[in-house]
Amino acid sequence: MTVRIEKIRCIATAPADIRLVVVKVETTEPGLYGLGCATFTQRPLAVIEAVESYLDPFLRGRDVSEIEDIFQSSYVSSYWRQGPVLNNALSGVDMALWDIKGKRAGMPVHDLLGGKTRMAAPVYVHASGRDFAEVTDRARALMADGFRHVRIQSEVPGQSTYGTESDLKPHEQVNGPVSPQNIFEPADYARLAPRLFEHVRSELGDEVELLHDIHERLPAPLAIQLAKDLEPYRLFFLEDPLPPEELTYFRRLREASHVPLAMGELFTNVNEYLPLIREQLIDFIRVHISDVGGLSMARKIAALCEFFSVRTAWHGPGDTSPIGHAANLALDVSISNFGIQEFTVFNQATLDVFPGCPTLRDGMLWPNDAPGWGIDLDEELAAKFPYPEHPFNGAWPAIRRRDGSCVRP
Ligand code: GCO
Ligand code: MG
């Protein structure tokens, strides 16, 4: 019997104080529903509006089995397309439909995708600190916990440095003159980062895999200089060296340095990642799966990358719901060109709100074998973690240079 979409709605929750958006697709079959990640933490209310005011009326009554056609028809239903708001809305529905398909088939999503190519996905986690010694200590503690891949970031003294405690918090509204809270000077950071790597390598040896995220904060010539300066330290990868606005510069970066490059958490449009993959200008694709439109889109990207020897490193920050992490993981364990998985450890409240989360053991993330994502959402509990108070609903305040000009991103 045909099972149809009855209603599509959003659940807004913040069990780790980070705004998450989860889409629930309810069906005509009693008790059968699917969950999808639609988290765009800087603009969550816009995504909720896109889902509930546009996709819900557009898709009610559709046969839940037709995932690809639902994706294609929703995608063009706005005529203008491929931005983060609409892609996240699409992703919420798309992942929920994969969840439903898995539940109907009695299979986990990784089985629907062809079955396991590995038991679990090695992950990298973050070690950051105020100075080199603190970063080293934290990395050492993570290694003792079984992690073999660690991203290291150190604070530029007196500046707001990405990936460290000093980074401007979303709730800190700094609109006045530059201050230690919001200042960032790219050249100071670009001089510091190689010294951090020299220190950490000499302390921790060669076996641990080290990663680093520039977070698009450097003008292109400085990004090239940093990529060259980091070469002696054998990085697993250097992440997001340039912003999406400067993709034409990748060719020069590639010619100048052999550091493995990972790129793409900000990508939303196929014409951003396609040239980089086709020309083998990057080594790892790290799009945020909900920002490119969901699992249907990401699995095509993974397949495309396989033929160009580009490996995956799906974006896995705290602003990904456990459903989004499960989608990352379903691909990780079912494709051949998996590279590494970024992971942010779930806090207890998240584990309680989302029963069935994948588990972490021996530096790897292990999927469960329950049908669909194998993850549920306790709506009553989720309601106990509303979005925290915030002057502009999660949007980021500006980071500025000494002269007051705005730094990307
Ligand atoms: C990462 C990312 C995140 C992003 C965040 C934006 O590599 O994990 O850079 O820290 O900044 O996901 O909302
Ligand atoms: Mg990043």
Side-chain angles (χ1 to χ4, degrees):
M1 206 188 73
T2 306
V3 176
R4 300 190 182 279
I5 294 177
E6 195 164 69
K7 187 181 177 160
I8 305 177
R9 62 192 174 86
C10 292
I11 295 138
T13 184
D17 273 349
I18 299 174
R19 290 164 169 69
L20 305 176
V21 180
V22 175
V23 165
K24 186 166 190 173
V25 173
E26 293 168 348
T27 74
T28 49
E29 187 170 307
L32 178 65
Y33 57 84
L35 299 171
C37 186
T39 299
F40 175 6
T41 204
Q42 291 83 354
R43 295 287 189 277
L45 306 180
V47 175
I48 292 171
E49 190 68 30
V51 170
E52 295 188 346
S53 296
Y54 299 99
L55 292 180
D56 172 45
F58 184 71
L59 295 173
R60 280 189 193 201
R62 289 292 311 260
D63 178 345
V64 296
S65 68
E66 296 171 357
I67 300 179
E68 181 67 14
D69 188 69
I70 289 176
F71 179 92
Q72 297 297 343
S73 54
S74 305
Y75 174 66
V76 292
S77 71
S78 58
Y79 187 39
W80 280 278
R81 50 194 182 255
Q82 293 216 334
V85 173
L86 298 182
N87 280 357
N88 267 287
L90 265 179
S91 162
V93 173
D94 180 71
M95 287 186 195
L97 292 174
W98 281 97
D99 192 20
I100 290 169
K101 197 175 279 296
K103 286 173 174 171
R104 294 182 79 198
M107 288 182 188
V109 175
H110 57 254
D111 261 351
L112 299 176
L113 297 175
K116 282 186 187 162
T117 52
R118 56 184 51 74
M119 299 178 296
V123 298
Y124 75 87
V125 285
H126 303 174
S128 63
R130 273 162 301 187
D131 53 35
F132 298 171
E134 194 169 81
V135 179
T136 310
D137 287 349
R138 289 186 178 161
R140 204 177 264 125
L142 291 168
M143 289 163 67
D145 281 345
F147 294 103
R148 296 173 191 85
H149 301 77
V150 183
R151 189 189 88 168
I152 55 171
Q153 315 277 148
S154 183
E155 199 171 304
V156 180
Q159 297 191 19
S160 174
T161 319
Y162 167 75
T164 71
E165 273 302 297
S166 69
D167 205 12
L168 192 55
K169 307 289 175 301
H171 59 273
E172 291 171 345
Q173 186 167 14
V174 184
N175 278 333
V178 285
S179 72
Q181 258 182 305
N182 69 347
I183 193 174
F184 179 77
E185 275 300 326
D188 294 345
Y189 155 73
R191 276 195 312 276
L192 181 111
R195 293 203 286 114
L196 167 70
F197 272 82
E198 185 184 17
H199 181 91
V200 172
R201 268 283 173 240
S202 72
E203 291 284 315
L204 300 182
D206 279 335
E207 271 178 40
V208 62
E209 296 284 4
L210 298 176
L211 303 84
H212 185 70
D213 189 354
I214 293 182
H215 214 256
E216 316 99 16
R217 278 204 180 176
L218 294 177
L222 269 183
I224 288 188
Q225 188 60 51
L226 179 54
K228 286 167 72 170
D229 292 345
L230 289 175
E231 274 188 351
Y233 309 112
R234 249 194 353 89
L235 270 64
F236 187 80
F237 67 53
L238 178 62
E239 171 179 337
D240 287 354
L242 299 169
E245 292 83 356
E246 294 174 30
L247 297 180
T248 49
Y249 219 89
F250 259 91
R251 223 164 278 126
R252 287 163 72 177
L253 173 59
R254 196 64 161 171
E255 279 159 16
S257 166
H258 293 121
V259 154
L261 298 175
M263 181 66 196
E265 67 188 46
L266 279 176
F267 288 163
T268 55
N269 185 303
V270 62
N271 292 305
E272 294 169 322
Y273 42 86
L274 187 58
L276 298 188
I277 296 165
R278 194 178 49 210
E279 294 182 48
Q280 295 178 312
L281 295 175
I282 55 173
D283 302 283
F284 296 88
I285 186 76
R286 51 176 290 99
V287 295
H288 188 113
I289 289 186
S290 69
D291 272 288
V292 294
L295 183 74
S296 295
M297 198 62 177
R299 74 188 183 111
K300 293 175 192 171
I301 296 173
L304 169 76
C305 285
E306 181 181 340
F307 296 115
F308 291 97
S309 302
V310 172
R311 289 183 287 161
T312 62
W314 311 119
H315 191 215
D319 49 309
T320 302
S321 74
I323 309 294
H325 283 286
N328 287 342
L329 186 55
L331 283 166
D332 295 340
V333 299
S334 65
I335 59 177
S336 61
N337 54 325
F338 165 75
I340 190 71
Q341 180 59 57
E342 179 183 32
F343 187 61
T344 311
V345 178
F346 302 126
N347 69 357
Q348 191 55 49
T350 304
L351 294 169
D352 295 342
V353 171
F354 293 93
C357 283
T359 47
L360 200 54
R361 183 160 38 89
D362 192 24
M364 298 190 276
L365 198 59
W366 298 73
N368 66 47
D369 284 321
W373 302 125
I375 302 179
D376 210 349
L377 171 52
D378 181 335
E379 288 197 52
E380 243 172 72
L381 196 56
K384 299 205 169 106
F385 299 97
Y387 288 170
E389 281 299 309
H390 189 280
F392 23 68
N393 298 322
W396 282 7
I399 303 291
R400 297 184 185 279
R401 293 196 56 183
R402 197 166 282 121
D403 65 4
S405 57
C406 197
V407 176
R408 264 183 200 151

